[in-house]
């Protein structure tokens, strides 16, 4: 994708030299946070064992059916003793989800699915270890059951759930179509604060919860070295997340975010910061003469636009750009308008573009392998913009064709 000589980036730049290549922060951040966690030995072992356990439980239709039956029994038991609320859409049968390195938030969803199916998973692994026909299947189930009941596995599973529940918000937010780089700074700050609060306040509650789970299943307390779990696992895993967030949002990226915020109508207007933003991060789009002219534009802009009653209601940079064009002020401030457009077209995620590439698998299938480029383009456009297409009336399309002039058909 990003190859400078033969990759997609190189092909795009040949067609449009002014195009910008953007790393997908949502995808890249998710992979980086998981990789950082795996730097802790216990966390690395946990993810290896998590994959193994899910493979044992979900490797065949028979085991899958056994897991569903165990869920039904567990739900019925909890409802009978009054520990589970009933209602429409509640207590549905679920399945285990596999973590994948190329899928957003899949590790978090995988951990959550195993936590919800923890008791049924134990029941099924016991059945496989006792009743399965081959010794290899019995051995795999026995090993998976031992790991699932171990203090190390349960501790790291709950720890990673807590950590990933805090980082998942920023990963998901970066995938939205409406998310731009100006709004990213607050998300980064709040995520760091939540992880820091977890480090300072959640140790004892996490330890007590895991102790209760392990005691209820194994009838013994496996905790012998509390210092090891607190320093080498708990603190180390959290510190790795904080370090990765700090490195991903490095000083230059953070500076870009901070300078971009100066364009936000809700913030205080700083002419010098806006000029720095244009000069430092967009040197190919603004010459030295343009920077001088931009300073002159900003002097007039400061006295004009912020004092306009209509513009005082504007809350986002996107609406500011639209307002400048609707009031024809973009003609008076062309350089500022150019800078705003550059900031708006620099999203923190290429999730939408990646989904567009993935959609081709849905359109060009084995049965449609000989589609022409135009037909593929048109079908892909309808699939990608299906939210808009769903609003189009089929009857209206039929009426449009009916009113077309009749054409001569050659036989």
């Amino acid at each position: 994708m990003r190859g400078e000589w033969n990759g997609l980036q190189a092909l795009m730049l040949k067609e449009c030299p002014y195009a910008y290549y953007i790393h997908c922060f949502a995808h890249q951040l998710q992979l980086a946070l998981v990789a950082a966690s795996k730097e802790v030995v216990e966390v690395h072992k946990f993810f290896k064992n998590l994959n193994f356990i899910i493979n044992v439980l979900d490797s065949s239709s028979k085991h899958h059916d056994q897991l569903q039956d165990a869920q039904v029994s567990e739900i019925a038991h909890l409802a009978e003793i009054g520990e589970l609320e009933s209602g429409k859409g509640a207590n549905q049968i679920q399945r285990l989800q596999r973590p994948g390195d190329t899928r957003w938030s899949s590790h978090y969803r995988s951990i959550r699915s195993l936590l919800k199916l923890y008791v049924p998973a134990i029941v099924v692994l016991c059945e496989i270890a006792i009743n399965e026909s081959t010794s290899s299947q019995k051995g795999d189930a026995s090993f998976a059951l031992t790991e699932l009941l171990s203090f190390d596995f349960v501790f790291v599973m709950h720890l990673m759930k807590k950590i990933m529940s805090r980082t998942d918000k920023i990963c998901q937010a970066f995938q939205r179509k409406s998310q731009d780089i100006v709004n990213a700074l607050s998300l980064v700050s709040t995520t760091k604060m939540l992880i820091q609060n977890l480090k300072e306040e959640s140790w004892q509650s996490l330890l007590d919860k895991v102790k209760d789970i392990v005691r209820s299943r194994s009838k013994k307390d496996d905790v012998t070295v509390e210092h090891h779990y607190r320093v080498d696992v708990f603190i180390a895993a959290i510190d790795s997340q904080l370090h990765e967030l700090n490195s991903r949002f490095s000083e230059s990226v953070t500076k870009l975010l901070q300078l971009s915020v100066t364009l936000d109508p809700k913030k205080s207007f700083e002419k010098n910061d806006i000029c720095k933003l244009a000069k430092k991060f967009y040197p190919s789009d603004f010459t030295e003469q343009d920077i001088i002219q931009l300073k002159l534009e900003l002097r007039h802009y400061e006295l004009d636009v912020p004092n306009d009653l209509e513009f005082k209601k504007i809350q986002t940079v996107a609406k500011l750009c639209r307002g400048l064009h609707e009031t024809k002020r973009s003609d008076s401030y062309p350089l500022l308008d150019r800078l705003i457009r550059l900031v708006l077209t620099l999203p923190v995620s290429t999730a939408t573009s990646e989904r567009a590439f993935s959609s081709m698998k849905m359109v060009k299938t084995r049965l449609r392998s000989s589609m022409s480029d135009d037909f593929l383009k048109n079908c892909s456009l309808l699939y990608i913009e299906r939210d808009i297409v769903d609003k189009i009336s089929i009857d209206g399309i039929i009426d449009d064709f009916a009113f077309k002039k009749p054409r001569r058909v050659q036989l």
Side-chain angles (χ1 to χ4, degrees), residues 49-60 63 96 98:
N49 291 329
L50 175 65
N51 273 310
F52 183 81
I53 291 170
I54 292 176
N55 286 336
V56 172
L57 289 169
D58 206 35
S59 59
S60 67
H63 296 166
L96 293 171
R98 299 174 184 271

Side-chain angles (χ1 to χ4, degrees), residues 356 358-369 371 375-384:
S358 299
S359 70
M360 286 194 290
K361 293 188 296 183
M362 309 295 292
V363 176
K364 190 169 184 177
T365 63
R366 181 176 58 84
L367 299 177
R368 299 195 195 120
S369 58
M371 296 174 68
F375 188 50
L376 175 61
K377 179 181 67 176
N378 294 333
C379 290
S380 298
L381 181 63
L382 291 174
Y383 182 84
I384 294 167

Side-chain angles (χ1 to χ4, degrees), residues 68-120:
Q68 286 192 333
D69 294 339
Q71 283 185 74
V72 173
S73 300
E74 178 69 10
I75 291 172
H77 172 68
L78 293 177
E80 183 179 351
I81 63 178
E83 292 188 6
L84 200 64
E85 295 182 0
S86 60
K88 185 177 180 180
N91 309 322
Q92 296 182 356
I93 300 299
Q94 300 182 16
R95 63 174 300 168
L96 293 171
Q97 297 191 25
R98 299 174 184 271
D101 289 338
T102 59
R103 287 177 288 166
W104 292 300
S105 303
S106 62
H107 293 81
Y108 178 52
R109 290 195 297 268
S110 181
I111 293 172
R112 286 180 58 193
S113 69
L114 183 58
L115 278 169
K116 290 179 180 178
L117 302 178
Y118 186 72
V119 175

Side-chain angles (χ1 to χ4, degrees), residues 312-379:
K312 285 183 178 180
K313 302 176 184 178
I314 291 177
Q315 299 292 317
T316 65
V317 178
K319 290 182 179 179
L320 173 61
C321 183
R322 183 181 302 173
L324 290 174
H325 279 262
E326 289 176 352
T327 59
K328 304 298 183 182
R329 281 187 168 91
S330 58
D331 297 334
S332 302
Y333 311 109
L335 294 174
L336 179 61
D337 178 66
R338 184 195 304 175
L339 182 59
I340 292 174
R341 284 172 171 270
L342 286 170
V343 171
L344 288 175
T345 54
L346 184 62
V348 293
S349 172
T350 57
T352 305
S353 302
E354 291 193 37
R355 290 192 184 104
F357 277 104
S358 299
S359 70
M360 286 194 290
K361 293 188 296 183
M362 309 295 292
V363 176
K364 190 169 184 177
T365 63
R366 181 176 58 84
L367 299 177
R368 299 195 195 120
S369 58
S370 59
M371 296 174 68
S372 65
D373 290 343
D374 287 339
F375 188 50
L376 175 61
K377 179 181 67 176
N378 294 333
C379 290

Side-chain angles (χ1 to χ4, degrees), residues 118 148-155 158 207-223:
Y118 186 72
L148 191 60
L149 293 172
S150 68
F151 183 89
D152 283 9
F153 186 88
V154 177
F155 179 83
H158 282 82
L207 183 63
D208 293 341
K209 183 177 183 179
V210 176
K211 281 182 178 179
D212 291 340
I213 294 173
V214 173
R215 287 196 191 106
S216 66
R217 295 295 163 190
S218 62
K219 308 299 181 184
K220 65 179 181 178
D221 187 0
D222 288 335
V223 183

Side-chain angles (χ1 to χ4, degrees), residues 74-342:
E74 178 69 10
I75 291 172
H77 172 68
L78 293 177
E80 183 179 351
I81 63 178
E83 292 188 6
L84 200 64
E85 295 182 0
S86 60
K88 185 177 180 180
N91 309 322
Q92 296 182 356
I93 300 299
Q94 300 182 16
R95 63 174 300 168
L96 293 171
Q97 297 191 25
R98 299 174 184 271
D101 289 338
T102 59
R103 287 177 288 166
W104 292 300
S105 303
S106 62
H107 293 81
Y108 178 52
R109 290 195 297 268
S110 181
I111 293 172
R112 286 180 58 193
S113 69
L114 183 58
L115 278 169
K116 290 179 180 178
L117 302 178
Y118 186 72
V119 175
I122 293 174
V123 173
V124 173
L125 287 175
C126 288
E127 291 180 3
I128 298 173
I130 296 172
N131 301 322
E132 200 57 64
S133 58
T134 64
S135 57
S136 61
Q137 291 177 322
K138 289 182 178 180
D140 288 344
S142 179
F143 175 80
L145 180 62
T146 302
E147 289 299 323
L148 191 60
L149 293 172
S150 68
F151 183 89
D152 283 9
F153 186 88
V154 177
F155 179 83
V156 177
M157 179 168 59
H158 282 82
L159 172 60
M160 294 311 299
K161 177 182 177 291
K162 285 181 175 291
I163 293 176
M164 289 187 169
S165 66
R166 287 155 175 80
T167 59
D168 186 64
K169 180 67 177 178
I170 190 172
C171 293
Q172 294 294 331
F174 283 176
Q175 298 173 44
R176 297 175 190 162
K177 290 184 179 180
S178 59
Q179 185 72 42
D180 59 60
I181 200 166
V182 176
N183 297 322
L185 192 58
S186 60
L187 286 171
V188 177
S189 300
T190 54
T191 302
K192 290 179 181 179
M193 290 173 61
L194 288 171
I195 295 177
Q196 187 64 37
N197 292 339
L198 174 66
K199 178 181 178 180
E200 296 172 357
E201 301 172 3
S202 299
W203 161 250
Q204 195 58 49
S205 61
L206 173 65
L207 183 63
D208 293 341
K209 183 177 183 179
V210 176
K211 281 182 178 179
D212 291 340
I213 294 173
V214 173
R215 287 196 191 106
S216 66
R217 295 295 163 190
S218 62
K219 308 299 181 184
K220 65 179 181 178
D221 187 0
D222 288 335
V223 183
T224 55
V225 187
E226 182 175 325
H227 176 81
H228 163 70
Y229 288 103
R230 182 171 186 176
V231 176
D232 298 337
V233 183
F234 179 78
I235 294 178
I238 293 175
D239 284 346
S240 69
Q241 299 287 296
L242 290 172
H243 174 74
E244 195 60 42
L245 282 170
N246 288 328
S247 63
R248 288 290 160 182
F249 294 93
S250 59
E251 184 178 352
S252 60
V253 175
T254 304
K255 189 64 176 177
L256 172 59
L257 292 168
Q258 290 172 341
L259 292 176
S260 298
V261 168
T262 60
L263 294 170
D264 194 328
K266 301 188 300 295
K267 305 295 182 181
S268 59
F269 185 81
E270 295 290 344
K271 296 189 294 293
N272 292 333
D273 286 344
I274 293 176
C275 291
K276 284 180 184 177
L277 175 64
K279 186 176 181 179
K280 183 173 182 179
F281 292 98
Y282 301 102
S284 60
D285 296 282
F286 294 91
T287 64
E288 290 294 333
Q289 187 62 36
D290 287 336
I291 299 297
I292 296 173
Q293 188 64 33
L294 177 61
K295 291 179 181 179
L296 297 177
E297 280 188 13
L298 293 174
R299 291 177 183 176
H300 293 277
Y301 176 89
E302 185 177 17
L303 299 174
D304 176 20
V305 175
N307 296 320
D308 190 294
L309 293 178
E310 291 298 322
F311 280 88
K312 285 183 178 180
K313 302 176 184 178
I314 291 177
Q315 299 292 317
T316 65
V317 178
K319 290 182 179 179
L320 173 61
C321 183
R322 183 181 302 173
L324 290 174
H325 279 262
E326 289 176 352
T327 59
K328 304 298 183 182
R329 281 187 168 91
S330 58
D331 297 334
S332 302
Y333 311 109
L335 294 174
L336 179 61
D337 178 66
R338 184 195 304 175
L339 182 59
I340 292 174
R341 284 172 171 270
L342 286 170

